[in-house]
Amino acid sequence: MKLTGVELRTIQLPLVSPFRTSFGTQTAREALLLRVVTPDAEGWGECVAMSDPLYSSEYVAACADVLRRFFIPAVAQVERLDANAVGPALAPFKGHRMAKAALEMAVLDAELRTRGVSFASALGAAVDRVPCGVSVGIMDSIPELLDAVEGYLDAGYLRIKLKVEPGWDVEPVRAVRERFGDEVLLQVDANTAYRRSDARHLARLDPYNLLLIEQPLDEEDLLGHAQLAKVLTTPVCLDESIVSARSAADAIALGACSIVNIKPGRVGGYLEARRIHDLCVAHDIPVWCGGMLETGLGRAANVALAALPGFTLPGDTSASDRYYAMDITEPFRLSDGHLTVPTDPGLGLTPIPDALDAVTTNTEWIPL
Ligand code: OSB
Ligand code: MG
């Protein structure tokens, strides 16, 4: 393939309700989209970085800058460009994995549309639909939380994940168990809000039979997670700490986690995400697909990834209406707690032009 140009587009999508985590409250999703153009096809990429560097060091404006300044020119120089060539072409540049992932996703989409192959079959999907969980934000009160969880269970979600932080952990978990019973698949996500000295406090979650506790400690604290995992009966799952197949291998060897949340953006792309999947399968480590409030584009690719055989736990692959009243693509709808894996070439869907234009705040065309 040869790129004739790349469009960088920033959009702003309102959320159906505020989403509060231990690192902040979001009321809208700003996102950076890429459209790569080749003589034969177009490909779409979605960058999962947020407006502010609170989940990780990356943020939307920095991703746009590093893409236009370094990554797009480097990829434009590649002789015979395909998705496998993107990682090596960008390897000299440190970090910025979400920006790299977005560009690789767009090139992969263009390549697969040209070849007439879906993301799912290219990645190695084994099923045609995936079971879905939902991430439930921190609320102002327990009754409010119970109403939200009830709504999601009524909608058919097969697993509930509660966002937690110091002051909002044992009580909400206890309340959800008491109200909805022991059969509900339940897990928590701390987004690094705790410290090593909180081990005894976190052990108070042990009686509630959680599937896992996600990223309780700092992203760089693998040793702390390994020590915590020895104290807790709740399995430790890592999100922020896993930025590559290498860091996944290290975390597993150290005993820092027994479950991995795979987010393609966080690890530099869908190809590295698949390598982590393969590594975890080889080590008998269950994986599940995380989410970053994706539009239909990223959601389509995540659903394809979640259809790989090692994804044995429901992911944060919620329906579009969990976050957006109006998505930029045809919405993903929950059916029997599952989302259907797209089968058309590439991502299997494209933005609806009017819906996309309605939420676009900036567009930049980079001719190559
Ligand atoms: O830690 O998994 C996380 C959202 C934004 C940033 C980090 C995380 C999340 C979620 C929601 O938990 C995932 C989703 O439903 O898209
Ligand atoms: Mg998480």
Side-chain angles (χ1 to χ4, degrees):
M1 292 195 309
K2 184 91 193 98
L3 298 185
T4 55
V6 178
E7 183 183 82
L8 292 180
R9 186 187 284 255
T10 310
I11 62 170
Q12 180 88 8
L13 275 178
L15 299 186
V16 291
S17 55
F19 183 56
R20 177 171 160 204
T21 65
S22 62
F23 59 81
T25 304
Q26 251 183 296
T27 55
R29 176 45 155 142
E30 183 191 20
L32 176 67
L33 305 180
L34 281 81
R35 181 172 60 94
V36 303
V37 180
T38 77
D40 300 310
E42 292 187 357
W44 288 91
E46 175 170 350
C47 183
V48 301
M50 312 250 152
S51 305
D52 306 299
L54 299 174
Y55 164 79
S56 77
S57 64
E58 295 191 75
Y59 59 98
V60 170
C63 290
D65 187 73
V66 78
L67 279 159
R68 89 164 64 80
R69 198 185 292 266
F70 301 107
F71 296 174
I72 291 168
V75 162
Q77 298 241 311
V78 175
E79 204 52 65
R80 257 192 295 277
L81 180 64
D82 63 13
N84 276 300
V86 173
L90 301 181
F93 303 109
K94 309 295 189 195
H96 297 281
R97 290 181 171 90
M98 292 176 178
K100 290 176 178 175
L103 182 52
E104 186 198 78
M105 175 182 166
V107 171
L108 180 56
D109 186 36
E111 176 190 339
L112 295 179
R113 286 184 201 268
T114 305
R115 291 170 40 202
V117 176
S118 69
F119 255 65
S121 38
L123 292 173
V127 293
D128 56 16
R129 58 175 208 157
V130 299
C132 299
V134 59
S135 180
V136 185
I138 295 165
M139 308 266 165
D140 290 333
S141 70
I142 298 285
E144 219 183 312
L145 173 72
L146 294 177
D147 283 352
V149 170
E150 178 169 45
Y152 292 130
L153 290 173
D154 288 348
Y157 284 104
L158 299 172
R159 184 226 69 194
I160 300 292
K161 161 169 136 180
L162 303 183
K163 290 293 196 179
V164 294
E165 65 181 4
W168 182 267
D169 43 32
V170 179
E171 222 21 59
V173 165
R174 192 195 61 75
V176 168
R177 272 285 178 245
E178 187 173 88
R179 169 80 176 272
F180 302 105
D182 291 333
E183 302 74 40
V184 174
L185 298 182
L186 185 63
Q187 63 192 54
V188 295
D189 184 2
N191 289 110
T192 77
Y194 294 90
R195 306 161 60 90
R196 289 183 182 186
S197 53
D198 292 319
R200 280 154 55 88
H201 176 72
L202 291 173
R204 294 178 55 205
L205 292 168
D206 282 343
Y208 298 101
N209 252 303
L210 301 178
L211 282 172
L212 58 91
I213 178 168
E214 182 180 348
Q215 198 70 42
L217 309 178
D218 187 84
E219 66 175 280
E220 294 183 4
D221 195 8
L222 278 191
L223 184 60
H225 283 101
Q227 292 168 344
L228 183 62
K230 290 206 185 87
V231 175
L232 303 183
T233 61
T234 306
V236 173
C237 170
L238 291 177
D239 173 354
E240 284 89 331
S241 295
I242 307 296
V243 297
S244 63
R246 172 175 293 178
S247 64
D250 287 358
I252 293 166
L254 197 58
C257 65
S258 52
I259 300 172
V260 170
N261 166 334
I262 300 184
K263 287 180 184 168
R266 198 191 61 226
V267 304
Y270 285 87
L271 302 183
E272 186 75 355
R274 181 174 56 184
R275 288 190 276 274
I276 296 175
H277 163 270
D278 295 350
L279 170 91
C280 289
V281 168
H283 285 274
D284 260 321
I285 296 283
V287 305
W288 55 282
C289 185
M292 291 290 288
L293 283 66
E294 283 87 352
T295 73
L297 297 173
R299 204 164 293 281
N302 284 351
V303 167
L305 179 71
L308 269 61
F311 285 79
T312 53
L313 292 169
D316 282 344
T317 46
S318 306
S320 304
D321 69 1
R322 154 70 182 90
Y323 291 111
Y324 307 118
M326 254 292 260
D327 203 336
I328 58 167
T329 65
E330 288 299 327
F332 280 85
R333 288 201 179 84
L334 215 57
S335 161
D336 198 15
H338 292 67
L339 292 187
T340 302
V341 180
T343 52
D344 283 347
L347 293 171
L349 80 200
T350 50
I352 300 163
D354 288 345
L356 181 60
D357 286 340
V359 295
T360 296
T361 54
N362 190 63
T363 310
E364 174 183 355
W365 172 250
I366 301 170
L368 296 169

